Amino acid sequence: MTGSTRCAIYTRKSSRDGLDQDFNSLDAQREACAAYIASQRHEGWVLLPGRYDDGGLSGGTLDRPGLARLLEDMEAGQIDMVVIYKIDRLTRSLTDFAHLVERLEAAGTSFVSVTQSFNTATSMGRLTLNMLLSFAQFEREVTAERIRDKIAASKRKGLWMGGLPPMGYRPDGRTLVIDEHEAHTIRTLYDLYLEHRTIPAVKDAAEARGLRSRCRDRPDGQTSGGGVMERGHIHHILTNPVYAGRIRHKGDTYDGQHPAIIEPETWQRVQGLLQEGAAKARGAIQKTRLSRLSGKLFDETGDRLTPSHSRKRGRRYRYYISRRLVTDRSARHPDAWRLPADPLERQIGAVLRTHLETPRLIAGVCPGLAAAGLEKAIQALQARLEAADTSQILDLLERADLSPGTLCIRLADRALADWLGLPVDALASDALTITVPFQMRRRGVERKLRIGEGLPQVDRKLVTSLVTGRRWLEDIIAGQGFGEIARRDRTTPRRVRQLARLALLSPEVMTAIARGTQPTSMTADYLIKTRVSALWEAQADLLAGDEASCDGNSTNQA
């Protein structure tokens, strides 16, 4: 560099623990960055006096006041170089990182990490950074999975894992204790249902007795609740297993460590009556509700597939068939479709869920959103997906066009916008179409369906091996021996050497592995046994695919 380079230091800490100390983590980061800037004085680096600190804020979002001030000053032309202690102090999200790089380049600013040997002033630094952030995001997702696993394990033990306590209980550490005043209301509702057998009648009786919902104090000082109980609230209370002393988690229930307000036998009896009443209410419209793809599925001729069914040995089998099989029975129609409904709905629902859980898809659907808004929309969608079953997922489907070898799915813009919490005009209509492979050996006489099996699948074992190899390679560069690392991590020196070599893969190969687009034969064992060359040019053949594409013609045969 020539001339004077104005440097600003940015620091961040996720938790507030220790921030009240005289010398805290933010101060330590700033001191290390200031020392690094001083070491580059011969290059003209000058430390700016302003402080850009974010204490107690996550790196998973860009909504941080210190970062906002940094970006404002940078875009005002006051900063030439942003200095950080470590990459994850700036961001932990690939989407946010891409957004930050765009703003840095637009402002003519670079940034450097003092504990990692690269900076974004060079093309190699940017390439290496993209590669590392791919694995940083993977590590973050693994941590989230561990947290979810911990919550699941705790609930299997019957522990209360937080959130709003249900009416009738108060939280007490990792369990619940009965609030006798509210518990009286709960017991009364169950007694009323056993007496009247319908929720509308229970609602009227509860209102006549003056039963009210729980009053809750909100953080803004106002109160909510305390009103007449609606039918949905009553149904939730009558179906919540927590009142029978159990804990629910993702459709399963476990014995809880809290006392029951309702006897388990009484609770089970109420569930049976509720299911019996629901079955009677569904009777006339059962067929319509079961056929979730009715009116949405079309074949390659434009003919709509309509619901149909048959019975065999007392069992009902559902299908979707080309409408010409119903309207014109005089011809054989060898090109018509007859698809088993249950696996078709299940697999299309799985394809939709898989694509909607991919942040890249949502980024394409919402191109005009800033990073913070995009992160919020993705979080809203993930929350809806976690609670949704297949029928609810299929509500996001507007149309599906079937042809030999391919299924083209069109998302319903209004439904998707509602799940994302966005207006419809925020969605890009040209990004709402998903095309996936489709296979079925025969039509007319059903065979097994396979939909979307060509989707990339991340090899978690391989990615974990690469992350471990990268960490071990950094230790080796820092001067640690193979034996020392092996003793520390309870493995063998041979294993350390094997995985450290994997860290020498080219960025193109590592990116393919992180995205799950590498050939299926490229496993951790394969890379170790073949002793792949450390020269990036020699690794180009690794990405030559060995995948067999879906055979569309095989689906054409009746």
Side-chain angles (χ1 to χ4, degrees):
M1 288 186 178
T2 60
S4 176
T5 301
R6 297 165 297 175
C7 302
I9 297 174
Y10 176 75
T11 62
R12 183 186 65 80
K13 186 177 186 293
S14 296
S15 67
R16 293 192 171 275
D17 296 342
L19 290 181
D20 55 347
Q21 298 175 359
D22 293 336
F23 186 79
N24 55 45
S25 174
L26 299 180
D27 297 321
Q29 292 177 48
R30 183 173 179 82
E31 187 176 273
C33 293
Y36 184 86
I37 294 172
S39 71
Q40 302 297 314
R41 189 178 294 114
H42 64 284
E43 296 285 346
W45 289 28
V46 177
L47 174 60
L48 296 174
R51 292 185 67 110
Y52 304 94
D53 304 325
D54 283 316
L57 295 174
S58 168
T61 174
L62 295 181
D63 188 15
R64 291 172 257 155
L67 180 61
R69 286 189 292 104
L70 175 71
L71 295 175
E72 288 176 2
D73 292 347
M74 179 189 74
E75 292 171 345
Q78 301 174 13
I79 299 172
D80 301 315
M81 179 72 71
V82 177
V83 183
I84 54 177
Y85 181 72
K86 200 174 181 181
I87 298 172
D88 61 5
R89 298 304 88 191
L90 190 63
T91 179
R92 287 181 175 270
S93 166
L94 272 175
T95 304
D96 289 347
F97 171 67
H99 177 69
L100 286 174
V101 168
E102 289 179 0
R103 297 185 67 173
L104 284 164
E105 291 179 346
T109 306
S110 300
F111 80 86
V112 61
S113 167
V114 303
T115 60
Q116 291 151 325
S117 302
F118 57 87
N119 65 70
T120 59
T122 66
S123 59
M124 181 59 68
R126 289 191 293 271
L127 180 62
T128 307
L129 186 57
N130 272 290
M131 179 181 68
L132 289 180
L133 275 174
S134 295
F135 291 101
Q137 180 163 321
F138 168 76
E139 204 167 0
R140 181 185 177 203
E141 291 172 355
V142 168
T143 300
E145 288 179 358
R146 289 174 180 166
I147 293 172
R148 289 194 292 268
D149 291 343
K150 181 180 178 181
I151 291 175
S154 298
K155 288 194 172 185
R156 282 194 292 270
K157 294 179 180 179
L159 299 177
W160 172 254
M161 295 305 293
L164 288 176
M167 183 177 177
Y169 287 104
R170 290 182 289 104
D172 183 18
R174 287 301 181 191
T175 188
L176 298 168
V177 295
I178 295 177
D179 182 326
E180 286 299 338
H181 174 70
E182 293 181 347
H184 172 72
T185 300
I186 301 299
R187 296 188 185 101
T188 301
L189 289 175
Y190 275 80
D191 291 341
L192 288 174
Y193 185 79
L194 291 174
E195 177 183 351
H196 297 284
R197 304 293 179 93
T198 67
I199 290 181
V202 172
K203 177 185 180 299
D204 294 339
E207 186 174 355
R209 295 191 181 201
L211 300 183
R212 296 293 183 266
S213 62
R214 165 184 282 174
C215 286
R216 299 183 188 273
D217 296 326
R218 293 180 1 198
D220 58 4
Q222 299 183 5
T223 60
S224 61
V228 175
M229 292 186 177
E230 298 298 332
R231 286 183 292 179
H233 188 192
I234 293 173
H235 182 271
H236 176 73
I237 289 175
L238 294 177
T239 57
N240 195 342
V242 73
Y243 296 115
R246 296 179 65 79
I247 292 291
R248 178 162 51 195
H249 180 66
K250 292 186 179 295
D252 296 321
T253 58
Y254 308 97
D255 292 333
Q257 297 187 11
H258 62 279
I261 293 178
I262 304 298
E263 290 296 326
E265 295 78 10
T266 302
W267 189 86
Q268 288 291 354
R269 184 184 174 197
V270 169
Q271 305 318 299
L273 292 173
L274 284 167
Q275 292 175 9
E276 181 182 338
K280 291 179 179 178
R282 284 196 304 264
I285 58 174
Q286 184 178 16
K287 179 178 178 181
T288 302
R289 288 191 175 180
L290 284 173
S291 301
R292 304 298 302 180
L293 298 177
S294 179
K296 300 180 178 181
L297 191 60
F298 298 82
D299 64 19
E300 70 273 28
T301 69
D303 197 10
R304 178 178 295 171
L305 272 68
T306 185
S308 179
H309 73 276
S310 64
R311 289 190 177 274
K312 185 177 181 180
R313 298 173 184 170
R315 185 174 179 181
R316 188 172 183 265
Y317 296 87
R318 296 190 303 117
Y319 304 95
Y320 288 99
I321 63 175
S322 297
R323 187 169 178 79
R324 54 187 175 276
L325 291 175
V326 179
T327 58
D328 182 10
R329 299 179 181 271
S330 60
R332 292 179 57 86
H333 302 295
D335 61 339
W337 293 86
R338 188 169 186 261
L339 303 174
D342 289 332
L344 181 66
E345 293 168 354
R346 184 171 59 252
Q347 292 188 43
I348 290 180
V351 166
L352 287 173
R353 185 184 293 274
T354 299
H355 277 78
L356 292 171
E357 287 175 345
T358 305
R360 289 193 302 274
L361 175 74
I362 305 307
V365 170
C366 312
L369 282 186
L374 182 62
E375 187 83 15
K376 184 177 179 181
I378 291 174
Q379 290 174 355
L381 179 62
Q382 289 175 342
R384 292 289 295 268
L385 287 173
E386 287 182 1
D389 56 21
T390 299
S391 63
Q392 292 168 320
I393 293 287
L394 291 176
D395 287 339
L396 296 174
L397 177 68
E398 179 178 288
R399 179 184 174 112
D401 288 282
L402 186 67
S403 60
T406 303
L407 181 66
C408 185
I409 297 171
R410 172 77 182 181
L411 295 171
D413 53 359
R414 292 188 179 278
L416 181 58
D418 178 64
W419 282 42
L420 292 169
L422 298 172
V424 177
D425 56 12
L427 307 187
S429 59
D430 58 347
L432 297 176
T433 300
I434 301 169
T435 302
V436 294
F438 173 87
Q439 276 193 338
M440 190 183 73
R441 292 300 179 184
R442 295 184 65 182
R443 292 181 293 184
V445 178
E446 303 82 15
R447 297 290 180 88
K448 184 177 180 180
L449 297 176
R450 292 192 297 174
I451 301 176
E453 292 196 355
L455 296 173
Q457 296 294 325
V458 175
D459 185 339
R460 290 188 172 272
K461 179 181 177 182
L462 175 55
V463 173
T464 301
S465 298
L466 292 178
V467 171
T468 303
R470 178 73 190 183
R471 176 164 52 85
W472 285 347
L473 181 60
E474 291 176 352
D475 293 341
I476 293 168
I477 294 173
Q480 297 185 37
F482 295 124
E484 181 182 356
I485 297 172
R487 286 190 297 272
R488 183 195 66 198
D489 291 347
R490 297 181 180 180
T491 186
T492 65
R494 181 170 179 265
R495 185 64 174 172
V496 174
R497 285 193 295 270
Q498 289 174 338
L499 295 193
R501 283 184 60 85
L502 297 185
L504 302 177
L505 293 172
S506 70
E508 290 80 8
V509 174
M510 284 198 172
T511 299
I513 292 171
R515 293 175 176 173
T517 57
Q518 81 282 5
T520 55
S521 61
M522 188 190 294
T523 64
D525 292 339
Y526 170 81
L527 292 174
I528 290 171
K529 291 176 181 178
T530 54
R531 294 182 60 85
V532 175
S533 171
L535 297 176
W536 290 359
E537 295 83 355
Q539 297 174 15
D541 292 340
L542 287 176
L543 296 180
D546 61 350
E547 307 285 0
S549 62
C550 292
D551 181 9
N553 293 332
S554 67
T555 66
N556 270 336
Q557 307 304 317

